[in-house]
Amino acid sequence: WLREALPDADVVIGTDIDPTAARFEGVVQHDFHEPMSGDYSGMKFDLIYSNSHDHCRNPTKALSTWLEQLSDSGCLILEHSRSHGRRYQSDIDCWGIEPEILPFFLIHNFSVEITNMVVLSESDGHMLLVIKKRTRK
């Protein structure tokens, strides 16, 4: 979808930790807790999107990695909902945080600002958080 929505983008890739990821066009096997390697090593991205941060075994490390991979003007978009909360934690969804708490967690633990919050469903707490690195003045 992003490739179609951003036809002028230089690079649009997806990542997945599953070894079968490379079978899909534009997807590379990668653990999002770690910096990109190979062709993408050191690359800065204008947009990083995730709806799978609930799979983070170390959310601080994963979010730090994503923020380091952003260009200075780039943004991180996190899709979040009640199903990402503590109530739904499991072996696979190992990190849970309620939608009402996530913005405070981000601002408290990282040098970021939330520039937009798009509410997709109030009853589900389903939203898109648009996050930018805080610029120093």
Side-chain angles (χ1 to χ4, degrees):
W1 182 88
L2 283 173
R3 246 182 253 110
E4 291 175 13
L6 304 169
D8 297 330
D10 293 331
V11 177
V12 177
I13 60 168
T15 65
D16 198 308
I17 197 166
D18 192 291
T20 64
R23 288 194 286 174
F24 301 98
E25 181 184 348
V27 179
V28 296
Q29 182 184 5
H30 174 68
D31 179 343
F32 58 52
H33 293 86
E34 304 300 328
M36 295 292 288
S37 59
D39 293 344
Y40 306 104
S41 180
M43 186 178 278
K44 298 290 184 178
F45 298 93
D46 294 325
L47 172 66
I48 296 175
Y49 162 84
S50 180
N51 66 353
S52 60
H53 53 281
D54 55 327
H55 298 280
C56 294
R57 63 183 179 281
N58 184 336
T60 302
K61 184 175 182 183
L63 288 158
S64 293
T65 299
W66 288 334
L67 292 168
E68 288 170 12
Q69 293 172 340
L70 278 181
S71 67
D72 290 339
S73 61
C75 65
L76 168 63
I77 298 177
L78 292 181
E79 184 173 350
H80 195 74
S81 69
R82 284 215 193 289
S83 66
H84 291 100
R86 294 187 64 177
R87 181 179 188 186
Y88 297 95
Q89 279 183 261
S90 66
D91 289 342
I92 294 171
D93 298 333
C94 45
W95 182 57
I97 188 167
E98 277 55 49
E100 297 83 2
I101 305 300
L102 179 60
F104 296 101
F105 170 83
L106 293 167
I107 291 168
H108 179 75
N109 289 292
F110 305 96
S111 184
V112 298
E113 54 187 291
I114 298 171
T115 60
N116 203 347
M117 179 171 52
V118 179
V119 177
L120 302 172
S121 167
E122 276 192 43
S123 62
D124 295 335
H126 193 187
M127 62 185 165
L128 298 174
L129 290 177
V130 180
I131 303 155
K132 296 191 92 162
K133 294 188 278 188
R134 191 174 306 135
T135 56
R136 298 176 198 254
K137 295 182 181 187

